[in-house]
């Protein structure tokens, strides 16, 4: 699908990936940014796009956001906290939002949708994990919710004449991000540069991808993959550890803290300690990331440190 001169709806457009995608696509398209601002910030929504404050659990709000003029929906809105404290709410409301979006699209004749899934759908799988790995056995409610959404989208792709792009993310990092390991470490060290609490044992080893490369890859895949249902891993070919992230953050902030560990191999219930996705399918399509996990983490740390220092000083 050519993403030029289209009317594009981005749900979750005040969040990390949604705001950066809206910013990337606004130059060549009419972008409608949709968010309920329950977690994202209105300031993150880029200039030059139409903003619709909408709760996707409300069918009337969904109707306001997705109209007959829409050409494609990038559905990124979701509870994205893998350690969310209300499992049932996370699972049920993620599904309800996705179903509401799909039903509204069908109602107004919009048939193209891209969706942000997650590496958590694989559970604890052999690495590097390819898209056709099975069985998919997530170990977190978040992973289960993403897998359920994928199943629903698959039905629409195979049985209702939709075209679907599913993106299984590694850990995505970048500016405007909050509530994840890098901003968490930065905030802790701005408060106390002498000590840093690390969840688990610090040896968790995962792939990290910068959000700028993430949205570039998303655009490329949508423009070049044309099956009814297109499933792609997005990540880097390398991994880095939580301990290494702590060292990078400390280096950027120019501090030398003592580490204090909460213990165990997992940072929380449902945490997958080791994850690296195969990106051979993405590579074969013609796109590869230019940054390693360490490089993505360092770039994101430098950007987030500037943001958070400014907030801290205020």
């Amino acid at each position: 699908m050519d993403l030029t001169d289209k009317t594009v709806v981005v749900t979750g457009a005040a969040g990390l990936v949604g705001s950066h995608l809206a910013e990337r696509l606004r130059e060549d398209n009419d972008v409608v940014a949709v968010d309920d601002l329950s977690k994202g910030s209105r300031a993150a929504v880029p200039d030059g796009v139409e903003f619709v404050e909408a709760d996707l659990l409300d069918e009337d709000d969904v109707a306001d956001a997705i109209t007959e003029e829409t050409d494609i929906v990038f559905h990124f809105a979701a509870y994205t906290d893998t350690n969310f404290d209300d499992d049932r709410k996370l699972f049920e409301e993620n599904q309800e939002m996705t179903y509401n979006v799909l039903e509204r699209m069908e109602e107004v004749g919009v048939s193209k949708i891209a969706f942000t899934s997650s590496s958590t759908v694989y559970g604890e799988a052999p690495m590097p994990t390819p898209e056709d790995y099975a069985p998919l056995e997530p170990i977190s409610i978040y992973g289960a919710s993403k897998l359920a959404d994928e199943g629903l989208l698959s039905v629409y792709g195979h049985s209702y004449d939709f075209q679907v792009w599913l993106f299984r993310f590694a850990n995505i990092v970048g500016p405007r991000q909050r509530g994840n390991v890098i901003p968490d470490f930065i905030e802790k060290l701005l408060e106390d540069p002498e000590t840093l609490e690390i969840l688990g044992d610090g040896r968790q080893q995962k792939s990290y991808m910068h959000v700028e490369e993430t949205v570039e890859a998303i655009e490329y895949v949508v423009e070049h993959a044309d099956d009814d249902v297109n499933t792609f891993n997005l990540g880097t070919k390398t991994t880095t550890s939580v301990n290494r992230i702590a060292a990078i953050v400390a280096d950027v902030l120019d501090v030398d803290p003592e580490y204090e560990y909460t213990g165990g191999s997992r940072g929380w219930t449902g945490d997958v300690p080791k994850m690296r996705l195969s990106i051979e399918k993405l590579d074969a399509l013609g796109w590869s990331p230019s940054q390693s996990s360490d490089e993505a983490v360092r770039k994101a740390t430098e950007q987030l440190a500037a943001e958070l220092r400014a907030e801290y000083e205020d």
Side-chain angles (χ1 to χ4, degrees):
M1 176 183 183
D2 179 33
L3 288 173
T4 304
D5 296 327
K6 298 296 191 297
T7 298
V8 176
V9 170
V10 181
T11 73
L16 175 67
V17 182
S19 65
H20 283 85
L21 184 74
E23 187 172 20
R24 182 176 180 86
L25 296 180
R26 67 180 174 175
E27 298 300 326
D28 299 317
N29 302 276
D30 293 325
V31 176
V32 180
V34 180
D35 205 291
D36 68 358
L37 302 181
S38 60
K39 184 176 181 181
S41 167
R42 176 66 179 87
V45 178
D47 295 334
V49 306
E50 178 186 351
F51 177 67
V52 177
E53 185 171 349
D55 179 357
L56 298 185
L57 299 173
D58 185 315
E59 294 181 6
D60 291 335
D61 280 9
V62 177
D64 289 338
I66 301 171
T67 68
E68 291 85 351
E69 287 73 38
T70 304
D71 292 301
I72 182 171
V73 175
F74 289 85
H75 178 40
F76 296 175
Y79 290 101
T80 58
D81 185 352
T82 54
N83 196 27
F84 193 72
D85 61 3
D86 188 338
D87 288 347
R88 191 178 187 94
K89 180 175 182 177
L90 181 152
F91 187 88
E92 292 182 348
E93 294 191 4
N94 275 356
Q95 267 61 77
E96 186 175 353
M97 284 188 281
T98 301
Y99 220 144
N100 285 346
V101 166
L102 287 168
E103 287 186 326
R104 175 58 178 172
M105 289 175 64
E106 188 176 24
E107 181 181 351
V108 295
V110 181
S111 61
K112 297 183 184 298
I113 181 169
F115 176 73
T116 51
S117 187
S118 166
S119 64
T120 57
V121 301
Y122 294 115
E124 295 183 293
M127 300 181 296
T129 315
E131 289 87 348
D132 59 0
Y133 172 78
L136 298 179
E137 296 179 348
I139 65 170
S140 66
I141 291 294
Y142 175 73
S145 80
K146 287 296 187 181
L147 185 56
D149 275 330
E150 282 196 17
L152 183 58
L153 286 153
S154 176
V155 171
Y156 271 75
H158 290 299
S159 299
Y160 293 94
D161 295 324
F162 273 52
Q163 188 170 24
V164 176
W165 293 269
L166 302 172
F167 295 101
R168 294 174 177 166
F169 284 176
N171 289 5
I172 310 304
V173 295
R176 304 195 288 268
Q177 185 172 40
R178 299 295 185 269
N180 299 83
V181 61
I182 297 174
D184 177 59
F185 283 176
I186 294 171
E187 289 170 342
K188 286 176 177 177
L189 289 173
L190 289 175
E191 287 291 334
D192 176 10
E194 303 297 324
T195 306
L196 179 62
E197 181 188 66
I198 296 176
L199 301 181
D201 58 13
R203 292 183 288 184
Q204 302 97 314
Q205 193 87 17
K206 303 180 185 183
S207 176
Y208 290 80
M209 186 179 197
H210 196 276
V211 67
E212 291 171 6
E213 292 212 303
T214 303
V215 297
E216 182 182 331
I218 289 171
E219 182 181 22
Y220 185 90
V221 170
V222 169
E223 290 197 321
H224 291 85
D226 58 4
D227 290 337
D228 292 336
V229 178
N230 304 275
T231 303
F232 281 82
N233 291 334
L234 294 190
T236 57
K237 296 178 180 179
T238 60
T239 62
T240 197
S241 70
V242 174
N243 281 332
R244 176 63 181 153
I245 295 171
I248 291 171
V249 172
D251 181 59
V252 170
L253 296 181
D254 195 23
V255 297
D256 186 22
E258 293 289 328
Y259 298 162
E260 294 182 352
Y261 299 96
T262 61
S265 62
R266 304 179 194 275
W268 54 86
T269 300
D271 181 26
V272 178
K274 297 186 185 297
M275 177 274 293
R276 181 164 72 91
L277 302 176
S278 168
I279 56 170
E280 290 183 6
K281 184 177 178 181
L282 180 63
D283 203 26
L285 191 68
W287 192 94
S288 297
S290 65
Q291 298 171 347
S292 68
S293 287
D294 275 6
E295 289 169 334
V297 167
R298 181 169 290 275
K299 181 175 181 178
T301 300
E302 291 169 349
Q303 294 167 321
L304 285 162
E307 290 179 5
L308 290 166
R309 274 182 169 138
E311 292 178 10
Y312 185 76
E313 290 168 0
D314 289 344

